Amino acid sequence: MKLTVVGSGDAFGSGGRLQSCYHLEAQGRELLLDCGATAIIGMQRLGLDPDRVSTIAISHLHGDHFAGLVWFLLHAHYVTRRTVPLRIVGPATIEERFAAAAEALFPQSTRIDRRFEMTFDTHVEGVGREIDGFRITPFEVSHPSGAPPYALRVEAGGKVLAFSGDTKWVDTLLKAAAGADLYISECYGYDAEAGHHMAWRDIAQNLDRLGARKVMLTHMGGGMLSHVGRVSDPRVVFAEDGLRLDV
Ligand SMILES: [Zn+2]
Ligand SMILES: [Zn+2]
């Protein structure tokens, strides 16, 4: 499985980073994990073709994680004239939240005469779903966003990649990350209480319990970005927009 970090930023653009979006490729299939508002910009920068993405899995319904679906739709319709189906899987009410965002930003955009099928599915806690070569299993975490938020475990090509989404520390993350080849963890803060997010201190305390081979820190706020030099655990790597990694 190949990972390309399209966007590794938080909701505030800290460090000039784009919003949450991870591109995965396995056995010729391509998937996006999260689709923040800047996803199409990031894909254009990196030469990734949105038409090759058959599935988009959304962790939770905050704009920096799902709003890019609006631009994904417009790009597919007006620029590439997409014909291949697109499957989107996310928290309950994702279809309504997407439609509300699309209509607020581009009135009538949900009524355009699409040439491709766009379907929405809803995560079911702990139940793996096979979509076009990827097995996606959601685990509920804690991060108020109008619908249940999830960490996502993605299996493909014999590899396991887990993603925390946004959340404060909850033990459910252990289930999502168990034995993962790569666990991508949000790490908004460094050592201070980070509200509905995690700080490095929360992750450091749980690194052994997580049992992932490698941990990638992402969604870093300004406080964390200025402290990355203080993290020296050999299991830990830092996300950066454009970073490519063989999982
Ligand atoms: Zn976020
Ligand atoms: Zn969030």
Side-chain angles (χ1 to χ4, degrees), residues 27-117:
Q27 296 161 325
R29 306 292 184 179
E30 299 184 25
L31 167 144
L32 290 186
L33 264 184
D34 274 354
C35 190
T38 52
I40 286 287
I41 301 170
M43 293 185 79
Q44 300 251 30
R45 268 187 197 170
L46 298 167
L48 295 168
D49 178 2
D51 275 5
R52 293 188 51 85
V53 171
S54 56
T55 307
I56 303 179
I58 301 291
S59 64
H60 69 290
L61 297 183
H62 274 156
D64 58 317
H65 297 258
F66 89 99
L69 293 175
V70 175
W71 286 275
F72 201 99
L73 164 70
L74 296 181
H75 185 267
H77 183 73
Y78 292 110
V79 180
T80 64
R81 303 173 72 83
R82 180 180 181 122
T83 54
V84 289
L86 176 65
R87 283 200 55 192
I88 297 161
V89 58
T93 71
I94 183 167
E95 189 167 5
E96 294 93 307
R97 292 279 294 275
F98 160 74
E103 285 301 317
L105 294 165
F106 297 95
Q108 306 294 323
S109 60
T110 59
R111 282 169 224 173
I112 53 180
D113 197 11
R114 279 184 278 108
R115 294 169 210 87
F116 65 100
E117 197 190 340

Side-chain angles (χ1 to χ4, degrees), residues 10-11 60 62 64-65 143 166 197 219:
D10 61 5
H60 69 290
H62 274 156
D64 58 317
H65 297 258
H143 186 77
D166 283 0
H197 290 279
H219 203 283

Side-chain angles (χ1 to χ4, degrees), residues 224-237:
M224 180 61 204
L225 285 170
S226 61
H227 284 88
V228 292
R230 300 220 195 153
V231 178
S232 58
D233 192 290
R235 289 166 287 187
V236 174
V237 295

Side-chain angles (χ1 to χ4, degrees), residues 1-4 22-24 182 184 216 243-245 247:
M1 183 159 29
K2 283 189 168 58
L3 162 71
T4 303
Y22 305 87
H23 177 274
L24 304 182
L182 178 69
I184 303 175
M216 177 182 279
L243 181 71
R244 294 178 202 260
L245 202 76
V247 177

